[in-house]
Amino acid sequence: MKSAFLLSEDHHVIQSYLNHYGAHFKVQNRVGEQEYDILCRQINVEKTNYAFISKKDLERGLRDDLWIGLVLFVDDQKPTKYLFPSTVWNIPNQLFTDSAVKNPEYGINLNQHTMKEFVEKYGFEVMVNKI
């Protein structure tokens, strides 16, 4: 995910990022100069269709400047990158879940009902232009 931002002409990856508040790295939009925290997850569909972020890992909670980068591994295909704002969990649904079964967590649930919407709406190339 980080390499995709490194290759982006419109974004700069901030290398000396210490106060990450649960994110893995920070990017800056070169045009508007806004900064965004990026938290990464992955799903290997051969093993699972679910990824989660523990609520305790989000020190500052859901916010407009926190985005989630998800890499999806499907069989022998090239990994696919997706990007979405953390605020999608403000209104949980079948795709973006808010659960407290064992530990409070935000989930990404990909299945036959949610996959099409996720792929069409949150592809990295489409969403990177929104930050």
Side-chain angles (χ1 to χ4, degrees):
M1 185 58 64
K2 192 174 192 178
S3 63
F5 279 103
L6 287 169
L7 294 172
S8 169
E9 292 181 11
D10 294 331
H11 296 87
H12 168 70
V13 175
I14 298 172
Q15 299 295 339
S16 60
Y17 183 46
L18 300 175
N19 297 322
H20 55 79
Y21 301 106
H24 291 113
F25 60 95
K26 183 180 278 282
V27 297
Q28 180 181 36
N29 181 308
R30 293 180 195 248
V31 178
E33 296 189 12
Q34 291 178 289
E35 293 182 357
Y36 298 90
D37 292 332
I38 309 296
L39 192 148
C40 301
R41 289 293 182 266
Q42 67 182 24
I43 293 179
N44 181 340
V45 296
E46 292 178 359
K47 298 178 181 177
T48 186
N49 64 345
Y50 183 78
F52 70 92
I53 298 167
S54 173
K55 289 184 181 181
K56 71 178 182 174
D57 291 340
L58 299 179
E59 296 174 22
R60 294 172 45 204
L62 303 176
R63 55 191 204 279
D64 292 334
D65 67 341
L66 174 63
W67 285 60
I68 313 303
L70 179 74
V71 180
L72 185 63
F73 296 90
V74 179
D75 301 322
D76 295 328
Q77 299 175 25
K78 181 180 172 185
T80 312
K81 295 175 214 56
Y82 298 91
L83 187 65
F84 55 92
S86 65
T87 54
V88 297
W89 283 296
N90 284 332
I91 304 172
N93 56 35
Q94 195 175 22
L95 173 57
F96 297 107
T97 62
D98 184 349
S99 175
V101 176
K102 292 182 182 176
N103 297 307
E105 66 188 31
Y106 295 111
I108 306 149
N109 183 32
L110 297 178
N111 59 43
Q112 64 184 10
H113 302 292
T114 61
M115 182 68 89
K116 183 178 178 187
E117 173 192 353
F118 184 76
V119 169
E120 290 175 356
K121 195 170 181 180
Y122 299 108
F124 181 84
E125 291 75 18
V126 172
M127 295 303 286
V128 74
N129 295 322
K130 296 186 181 197
I131 65 171

